Amino acid sequence: MKINLVNNFNTDDYSIVINKVAKTCTNVLSLSAKSINIILVDNLAIQELNKKYRNKDAATDVLTFPDGYLNNLGDVFISVDKCTEQALELEHSFNRELGFLTVHGILHSLGYDHLTDEDEKEMNELQDKILNKAKLFR
């Protein structure tokens, strides 16, 4: 899978974790011919997107806009602010949380969701499998 990473948050390099997770997703889900855009933003930017497209006036951790045209899975927006907050709350590393949000967004772009208990179980198991293979443990 080809990752188009756009860092609109700061000048830090987040590509190692994101590419590691994307490579693992590629192997587990057979996505070699696909591409996806991952855009890193702050809480204000993701809140504006959440309000505009979901009518929710609050910052969130990840938003996915699936595409599917010409093997492009779509756009995944990740709030680095939320990633930092949640890593502290959940008492695991920033890299683990960034990996989780990346795989979560990729799975949403493929049509996975967590609206029902059954769908949530399936998505959680797949996320855990990918994160464990990428060695991003809790």
Side-chain angles (χ1 to χ4, degrees):
M1 176 175 12
K2 181 177 187 261
I3 298 289
N4 302 310
L5 179 59
V6 178
N7 185 347
N8 288 336
F9 182 72
N10 62 18
T11 58
D12 291 351
D13 183 7
Y14 301 99
S15 64
I16 293 171
V17 172
I18 291 170
N19 287 328
K20 182 180 196 178
V21 169
K23 182 178 180 182
T24 306
C25 283
T26 299
N27 294 336
V28 170
L29 302 169
S30 302
L31 301 175
S32 59
K34 304 291 185 185
S35 67
I36 194 163
N37 304 309
I38 298 186
I39 303 100
L40 304 177
V41 296
D42 61 14
N43 275 348
L44 181 59
I46 209 159
Q47 180 174 348
E48 289 173 4
L49 290 168
N50 205 18
K51 183 176 181 180
K52 181 175 181 177
Y53 293 102
R54 298 180 66 228
N55 293 320
K56 295 185 179 189
D57 191 11
T60 189
D61 52 4
V62 61
L63 286 173
T64 302
F65 299 93
D67 183 352
Y69 182 72
L70 295 177
N71 289 321
N72 181 7
L73 296 177
D75 299 327
V76 174
F77 289 84
I78 297 173
S79 168
V80 179
D81 291 328
K82 279 288 183 189
C83 183
T84 302
E85 293 169 22
Q86 291 172 178
L88 290 171
E89 286 173 20
L90 297 169
E91 299 180 345
H92 57 232
S93 73
F94 173 87
N95 285 346
R96 199 282 179 189
E97 188 65 16
L98 182 59
F100 169 79
L101 295 175
T102 300
V103 72
H104 192 82
I106 290 170
L107 291 177
H108 274 308
S109 75
L110 292 166
Y112 290 90
D113 217 325
H114 41 80
L115 298 176
T116 67
D117 289 343
E118 184 179 316
D119 289 345
E120 183 175 25
K121 182 177 187 263
E122 179 183 19
M123 192 169 179
N124 285 340
E125 287 173 357
L126 196 48
Q127 286 170 159
D128 289 344
K129 178 180 181 178
I130 291 166
L131 291 168
N132 288 337
K133 283 186 179 275
K135 298 185 181 352
L136 290 170
F137 307 107
R138 289 182 190 248

